[in-house]
Amino acid sequence: MAHIIVVGNEKGGAGKSTVSMHVATALARMGHKVSALDLDLRQRTFGRYTENRKSFLAKAGLKLASPNTHELPDISADALKPGENIYDHRLSAAVASLEPDNDFILIDCPGSHTRLSQVAHSLADTLITPLNDSFVDFDLLARTDSSGDEILGPSVYSEMVWNARQLRAQAGLTPIDWIVVRNRMGAQRMVNKEKMERAVRNLSKRIGFRIAPGFSERVVFRELFPRGLTLLDLKDIGVKQLNISNVAARQELRDLMKALELPGVTVDF
């Protein structure tokens, strides 16, 4: 059975698709069979990323390990029973078809609350939630007082994850391993950064998630998108000498992959 990784956060711009592409490609490069689904049926950033990769590799005559991306299958409305949701069936059918032949299935969720996203979260063995280092983004996880020091209670996204956990428990499935990935952190020690650090750490103990380091804000991620490449592909396309920023970003990816603690994965890059 494939291990299902869901990358989710109801707020856009948190770096979900960048994290998804790098995690999926890293697993493929390490020899694992990886399939992926993009549930943002409108923007399709992750889907576009993988399409760009296929196009670039074909033009360059290169063959690099890549995740296999799939569309959700069409389901006839006539096949539904009263009260059943067609999106539930489309996602369930996609996962069922991919599970026997893959080590990992990665699902990239949209930056909004949708039925597909809800269902995907309940399927997650590992849930990765990229979070910008800002109280604006933190508000999706929990409400705080005006100082940002006291947590008043969980917010909408945390409540959705809680519901997903309850559904898995009722089905007798293993608990979700939830990892919040702090993205776009500044290099300098700042008051806001320290407050965010405390808030995320306190909330992790309260509602049960692990914390992992993510990616800093770097131009290289925007530059790689049109070619569908990741940090791990640079030497394969002829970049002989990585600059300091690229080396640091590669180390961030290595640290993230280790922190995920995915089954059967030995980080060797």
mmCIF file of all heavy atoms in Angstrom, residues 90-109:
data_model
loop_
_atom_site.group_PDB
_atom_site.id
_atom_site.type_symbol
_atom_site.label_atom_id
_atom_site.label_comp_id
_atom_site.label_asym_id
_atom_site.label_seq_id
_atom_site.Cartn_x
_atom_site.Cartn_y
_atom_site.Cartn_z
ATOM 1 N N ARG A 90 -14.410 10.686 -7.106
ATOM 2 C CA ARG A 90 -13.314 10.933 -8.043
ATOM 3 C C ARG A 90 -11.959 10.768 -7.353
ATOM 4 O O ARG A 90 -11.049 10.145 -7.901
ATOM 5 C CB ARG A 90 -13.433 12.336 -8.645
ATOM 6 C CG ARG A 90 -14.617 12.533 -9.559
ATOM 7 C CD ARG A 90 -14.623 13.925 -10.166
ATOM 8 N NE ARG A 90 -13.551 14.079 -11.150
ATOM 9 C CZ ARG A 90 -13.205 15.238 -11.691
ATOM 10 N NH1 ARG A 90 -13.837 16.348 -11.320
ATOM 11 N NH2 ARG A 90 -12.236 15.304 -12.584
ATOM 12 N N LEU A 91 -11.823 11.331 -6.152
ATOM 13 C CA LEU A 91 -10.561 11.233 -5.427
ATOM 14 C C LEU A 91 -10.319 9.813 -4.940
ATOM 15 O O LEU A 91 -9.209 9.280 -5.068
ATOM 16 C CB LEU A 91 -10.541 12.204 -4.250
ATOM 17 C CG LEU A 91 -9.256 12.241 -3.427
ATOM 18 C CD1 LEU A 91 -8.039 12.490 -4.314
ATOM 19 C CD2 LEU A 91 -9.341 13.319 -2.345
ATOM 20 N N SER A 92 -11.347 9.173 -4.406
ATOM 21 C CA SER A 92 -11.205 7.800 -3.927
ATOM 22 C C SER A 92 -10.813 6.852 -5.057
ATOM 23 O O SER A 92 -9.967 5.967 -4.887
ATOM 24 C CB SER A 92 -12.512 7.318 -3.280
ATOM 25 O OG SER A 92 -12.828 8.092 -2.155
ATOM 26 N N ALA A 93 -11.418 7.050 -6.226
ATOM 27 C CA ALA A 93 -11.102 6.207 -7.385
ATOM 28 C C ALA A 93 -9.662 6.422 -7.834
ATOM 29 O O ALA A 93 -8.954 5.462 -8.185
ATOM 30 C CB ALA A 93 -12.071 6.503 -8.523
ATOM 31 N N ALA A 94 -9.217 7.673 -7.826
ATOM 32 C CA ALA A 94 -7.840 7.969 -8.224
ATOM 33 C C ALA A 94 -6.846 7.305 -7.280
ATOM 34 O O ALA A 94 -5.886 6.658 -7.715
ATOM 35 C CB ALA A 94 -7.612 9.482 -8.258
ATOM 36 N N VAL A 95 -7.060 7.463 -5.983
ATOM 37 C CA VAL A 95 -6.147 6.887 -4.993
ATOM 38 C C VAL A 95 -6.158 5.360 -5.076
ATOM 39 O O VAL A 95 -5.102 4.717 -5.034
ATOM 40 C CB VAL A 95 -6.517 7.365 -3.569
ATOM 41 C CG1 VAL A 95 -5.740 6.592 -2.513
ATOM 42 C CG2 VAL A 95 -6.236 8.857 -3.433
ATOM 43 N N ALA A 96 -7.335 4.771 -5.209
ATOM 44 C CA ALA A 96 -7.440 3.311 -5.278
ATOM 45 C C ALA A 96 -6.689 2.754 -6.481
ATOM 46 O O ALA A 96 -6.067 1.682 -6.402
ATOM 47 C CB ALA A 96 -8.915 2.900 -5.339
ATOM 48 N N SER A 97 -6.704 3.476 -7.584
ATOM 49 C CA SER A 97 -6.020 2.989 -8.785
ATOM 50 C C SER A 97 -4.498 3.124 -8.671
ATOM 51 O O SER A 97 -3.760 2.367 -9.309
ATOM 52 C CB SER A 97 -6.510 3.751 -10.019
ATOM 53 O OG SER A 97 -6.094 5.114 -9.975
ATOM 54 N N LEU A 98 -4.038 4.073 -7.859
ATOM 55 C CA LEU A 98 -2.600 4.344 -7.752
ATOM 56 C C LEU A 98 -1.927 3.572 -6.616
ATOM 57 O O LEU A 98 -0.714 3.309 -6.680
ATOM 58 C CB LEU A 98 -2.364 5.847 -7.544
ATOM 59 C CG LEU A 98 -2.812 6.772 -8.681
ATOM 60 C CD1 LEU A 98 -2.645 8.231 -8.268
ATOM 61 C CD2 LEU A 98 -2.026 6.488 -9.953
ATOM 62 N N GLU A 99 -2.671 3.227 -5.594
ATOM 63 C CA GLU A 99 -2.073 2.614 -4.403
ATOM 64 C C GLU A 99 -1.284 1.331 -4.674
ATOM 65 O O GLU A 99 -0.180 1.170 -4.144
ATOM 66 C CB GLU A 99 -3.150 2.342 -3.350
ATOM 67 C CG GLU A 99 -3.440 3.530 -2.470
ATOM 68 C CD GLU A 99 -4.280 3.162 -1.265
ATOM 69 O OE1 GLU A 99 -5.290 2.460 -1.461
ATOM 70 O OE2 GLU A 99 -3.932 3.569 -0.149
ATOM 71 N N PRO A 100 -1.765 0.402 -5.501
ATOM 72 C CA PRO A 100 -1.047 -0.874 -5.638
ATOM 73 C C PRO A 100 0.337 -0.746 -6.273
ATOM 74 O O PRO A 100 1.206 -1.582 -6.003
ATOM 75 C CB PRO A 100 -1.980 -1.700 -6.541
ATOM 76 C CG PRO A 100 -3.316 -1.057 -6.428
ATOM 77 C CD PRO A 100 -3.029 0.392 -6.249
ATOM 78 N N ASP A 101 0.560 0.261 -7.109
ATOM 79 C CA ASP A 101 1.786 0.328 -7.904
ATOM 80 C C ASP A 101 2.740 1.453 -7.501
ATOM 81 O O ASP A 101 3.683 1.757 -8.234
ATOM 82 C CB ASP A 101 1.434 0.493 -9.389
ATOM 83 C CG ASP A 101 0.585 -0.659 -9.903
ATOM 84 O OD1 ASP A 101 0.871 -1.810 -9.534
ATOM 85 O OD2 ASP A 101 -0.377 -0.390 -10.641
ATOM 86 N N ASN A 102 2.494 2.092 -6.362
ATOM 87 C CA ASN A 102 3.335 3.219 -5.950
ATOM 88 C C ASN A 102 3.803 3.069 -4.513
ATOM 89 O O ASN A 102 3.127 2.444 -3.686
ATOM 90 C CB ASN A 102 2.558 4.535 -6.094
ATOM 91 C CG ASN A 102 2.397 4.971 -7.535
ATOM 92 O OD1 ASN A 102 3.298 5.568 -8.116
ATOM 93 N ND2 ASN A 102 1.243 4.665 -8.117
ATOM 94 N N ASP A 103 4.967 3.648 -4.240
ATOM 95 C CA ASP A 103 5.446 3.716 -2.862
ATOM 96 C C ASP A 103 4.819 4.906 -2.138
ATOM 97 O O ASP A 103 4.507 4.822 -0.944
ATOM 98 C CB ASP A 103 6.975 3.868 -2.839
ATOM 99 C CG ASP A 103 7.673 2.716 -3.534
ATOM 100 O OD1 ASP A 103 7.319 1.553 -3.253
ATOM 101 O OD2 ASP A 103 8.556 2.985 -4.378
ATOM 102 N N PHE A 104 4.645 5.998 -2.888
ATOM 103 C CA PHE A 104 4.081 7.221 -2.315
ATOM 104 C C PHE A 104 3.080 7.835 -3.286
ATOM 105 O O PHE A 104 3.283 7.813 -4.491
ATOM 106 C CB PHE A 104 5.175 8.247 -2.005
ATOM 107 C CG PHE A 104 6.132 7.817 -0.926
ATOM 108 C CD1 PHE A 104 7.323 7.191 -1.266
ATOM 109 C CD2 PHE A 104 5.836 8.019 0.417
ATOM 110 C CE1 PHE A 104 8.210 6.772 -0.276
ATOM 111 C CE2 PHE A 104 6.720 7.605 1.405
ATOM 112 C CZ PHE A 104 7.909 6.977 1.061
ATOM 113 N N ILE A 105 2.006 8.386 -2.718
ATOM 114 C CA ILE A 105 1.076 9.219 -3.477
ATOM 115 C C ILE A 105 1.082 10.589 -2.813
ATOM 116 O O ILE A 105 0.788 10.705 -1.614
ATOM 117 C CB ILE A 105 -0.360 8.648 -3.464
ATOM 118 C CG1 ILE A 105 -0.391 7.255 -4.097
ATOM 119 C CG2 ILE A 105 -1.316 9.588 -4.195
ATOM 120 C CD1 ILE A 105 -1.731 6.555 -3.938
ATOM 121 N N LEU A 106 1.456 11.617 -3.565
ATOM 122 C CA LEU A 106 1.465 12.975 -3.018
ATOM 123 C C LEU A 106 0.275 13.748 -3.572
ATOM 124 O O LEU A 106 0.048 13.764 -4.783
ATOM 125 C CB LEU A 106 2.769 13.694 -3.356
ATOM 126 C CG LEU A 106 2.932 15.052 -2.685
ATOM 127 C CD1 LEU A 106 4.380 15.281 -2.232
ATOM 128 C CD2 LEU A 106 2.494 16.186 -3.615
ATOM 129 N N ILE A 107 -0.475 14.364 -2.675
ATOM 130 C CA ILE A 107 -1.667 15.126 -3.051
ATOM 131 C C ILE A 107 -1.458 16.579 -2.673
ATOM 132 O O ILE A 107 -1.264 16.902 -1.497
ATOM 133 C CB ILE A 107 -2.928 14.573 -2.355
ATOM 134 C CG1 ILE A 107 -3.127 13.081 -2.690
ATOM 135 C CG2 ILE A 107 -4.158 15.377 -2.767
ATOM 136 C CD1 ILE A 107 -4.278 12.432 -1.949
ATOM 137 N N ASP A 108 -1.469 17.462 -3.676
ATOM 138 C CA ASP A 108 -1.300 18.893 -3.455
ATOM 139 C C ASP A 108 -2.679 19.542 -3.414
ATOM 140 O O ASP A 108 -3.430 19.480 -4.388
ATOM 141 C CB ASP A 108 -0.450 19.488 -4.586
ATOM 142 C CG ASP A 108 -0.104 20.947 -4.337
ATOM 143 O OD1 ASP A 108 0.149 21.296 -3.173
ATOM 144 O OD2 ASP A 108 -0.074 21.722 -5.303
ATOM 145 N N CYS A 109 -3.022 20.141 -2.273
ATOM 146 C CA CYS A 109 -4.357 20.718 -2.079
ATOM 147 C C CYS A 109 -4.390 22.193 -2.466
ATOM 148 O O CYS A 109 -3.369 22.878 -2.426
ATOM 149 C CB CYS A 109 -4.784 20.566 -0.619
ATOM 150 S SG CYS A 109 -5.057 18.853 -0.118
#
